[in-house]
Amino acid sequence: MSHIHLDGVGHSYAGTIYALEKANIRFEDGKTYALLGPSGCGKTTMLNVISGLLYPSDGRVLLGDTDVTRVPTAKRNIAQVFQFPVVYQSKSVFGNLAFPLVCRNWEQGKIKFRVGNIAELLGLSAKLGQSARRLTADEKQLISLGRGLVRDDVAALLMDEPLTVIDPQMKFELRRKIKSANSQTRQTVVYVTHDQNEAMTFADEVLVMKAGRVVQRGTPEDLFENPADTYVGNFIGSPGMNFLDAEPVTGGIAVAGTKVLGTTEFKHAGKVQLGIRPEYVSFARNRKSGIAAQLTHISDLGNVRIVDLALGKNRIKMKVRRGEPIPSSGDVRIDLPAAKLRVFVDGVSA
């Protein structure tokens, strides 16, 4: 294991436009990280710079205290799992898992013991003698992962959207196996994905990226509860955070003419919005409390229903659990708990 430090690292493919803006980023020993963002945001570029598949235009890459900026991939002791599983079709499952150790001249007894341990972690013990050609896509991806885990000299394990080709029903189980295996090997893991569910359920810390920059990093709870800007608030969560146009009034902030947040210190200039998660919006307990709104649409997702509401010119979504009543009338009253409201000025958390 080793920490990874990107010291002023940036990368440009064209010489002027940076796919990865210069930044200082540190990944600590033994933790799991997710690089999360849409296609083209720079997450795979960052991963390839760490692995050595790309040499950065600017800055240094440090593994531990060693500068590896110009060190080739093969000498970085980095294991990488790609989007499409790579297996040796002519070898057995055992042969695939053992291959990195054979290349390092391990003794046969030590290889057998190590491969057996990793196969057990990944649920592949019963398939060790089977040809890799007969495996399913998720099993092949487990082998790709296993080849990284089986080595004891790996500084970090890098994973580039490894579940893209996996059947949706298998993704949850495969994430569980990957996380369980890493909890025992405690390698430093950097995991690239555009899927927030993968990032939030897998990583200790998530780095949300946009246009070559990390716009916010933190635990899944941090990102959900306290997004740094409207981009993160909208990107994290399903549906994303609601943003309501608001205006400062005496002693607080109002939405559609109703004061919803009390504060005497708000002095910011710019476009003011209040953010609140659909999970925290609820129907008022009686017709005399809450804020007047109009119910416009209900989407039934099985376990929850997404209720669309109009609040003046604002549109807001609410999550309602299965079994909870929903008024049949178009005119309703809703609660926006002050503790869950977040203030944004010109798109940035205030």
Side-chain angles (χ1 to χ4, degrees):
M1 293 188 301
S2 182
H3 70 262
I4 303 166
H5 183 199
L6 304 183
D7 181 19
V9 163
H11 188 71
S12 170
Y13 292 100
T16 56
I17 301 175
Y18 275 77
L20 184 64
E21 298 284 348
K22 288 183 282 187
N24 289 292
I25 299 171
R26 185 181 175 95
F27 302 96
E28 298 296 339
D29 289 350
K31 293 183 68 176
T32 59
Y33 297 88
L35 305 180
L36 174 65
S39 298
C41 71
K43 53 189 187 295
T44 295
T45 297
M46 184 185 295
L47 201 75
N48 289 339
V49 165
I50 295 172
S51 71
L53 293 177
L54 281 176
Y55 291 163
S57 305
D58 301 276
R60 302 184 303 158
V61 180
L62 302 173
L63 293 182
D65 297 322
T66 304
D67 186 339
V68 297
T69 309
R70 292 294 183 267
V71 174
T73 300
K75 295 184 178 181
R76 291 195 185 191
N77 290 330
I78 292 285
Q80 192 158 1
V81 180
F82 296 96
Q83 179 175 341
F84 298 99
V86 178
V87 299
Y88 302 107
Q89 300 280 4
S90 61
K91 295 181 181 293
S92 66
V93 172
F94 181 92
N96 269 274
L97 293 176
F99 187 72
L101 307 182
V102 172
C103 292
R104 286 161 177 78
N105 298 314
W106 281 38
E107 296 177 358
Q108 285 299 316
K110 191 177 177 182
I111 290 176
K112 185 176 181 180
F113 179 77
R114 181 62 175 170
V115 169
N117 284 343
I118 296 302
E120 185 175 354
L121 280 178
L122 299 176
L124 293 172
S125 297
K127 297 182 181 291
L128 284 175
Q130 184 173 315
S131 169
R133 186 175 288 107
R134 297 169 53 195
L135 298 177
T136 62
D138 58 293
E139 290 170 338
K140 289 179 180 178
Q141 196 61 289
L142 281 174
I143 288 180
S144 295
L145 172 65
R147 284 203 301 267
L149 297 175
V150 76
R151 293 167 51 190
D152 62 359
D153 62 346
V154 171
L157 177 61
L158 311 180
M159 309 181 75
D160 191 359
E161 305 212 44
L163 303 185
T164 299
V165 299
I166 305 302
D167 186 283
Q169 294 182 350
M170 293 298 301
K171 283 188 177 184
F172 178 83
E173 180 64 19
L174 198 51
R175 281 201 303 269
R176 185 193 65 77
K177 287 183 178 180
I178 293 172
K179 193 167 185 177
S180 175
N182 185 64
S183 69
Q184 298 187 48
T185 59
R186 297 313 300 169
Q187 291 174 326
T188 304
V189 177
V190 183
Y191 185 106
V192 162
T193 181
H194 63 272
D195 186 329
Q196 60 162 306
N197 289 326
E198 286 186 15
M200 304 285 271
T201 57
F202 177 76
D204 298 320
E205 192 171 340
V206 179
L207 288 75
V208 182
M209 298 187 66
K210 175 186 179 183
R213 295 186 302 111
V214 175
V215 293
Q216 187 175 358
R217 66 182 292 174
T219 65
E221 182 180 5
D222 289 337
L223 299 177
F224 186 83
E225 296 290 352
N226 299 297
D229 56 23
T230 54
Y231 171 80
V232 176
N234 185 62
F235 198 83
I236 299 295
S238 181
M241 179 174 269
N242 295 299
F243 296 102
L244 310 175
D245 291 338
E247 57 181 350
V249 294
T250 303
I253 299 175
V255 173
T258 301
K259 187 168 74 172
V260 296
L261 187 63
T263 175
T264 58
E265 300 180 357
F266 190 83
K267 299 178 181 179
H268 299 277
K271 180 181 178 181
V272 179
Q273 293 176 296
L274 291 179
I276 189 167
R277 294 287 181 190
E279 289 81 356
Y280 300 137
V281 183
S282 62
F283 291 110
R285 294 185 177 181
N286 60 70
R287 299 289 296 180
K288 295 182 180 180
S289 64
I291 304 167
Q294 186 168 25
L295 192 158
T296 60
H297 184 71
I298 299 173
S299 301
D300 196 329
L301 303 184
N303 61 329
V304 297
R305 286 164 290 176
I306 306 299
V307 178
D308 290 278
L309 301 151
L311 187 60
K313 294 182 179 180
N314 291 291
R315 297 296 179 266
I316 187 169
K317 292 182 183 294
M318 174 197 305
K319 269 190 175 181
V320 181
R321 294 179 182 177
R322 171 65 60 193
E324 294 183 4
I326 296 179
S328 57
S329 170
D331 294 322
V332 297
R333 300 190 74 84
I334 60 173
D335 284 331
L336 305 176
K340 297 300 183 180
L341 288 167
R342 299 291 178 264
V343 182
F344 296 85
V345 179
D346 291 335
V348 179
S349 179

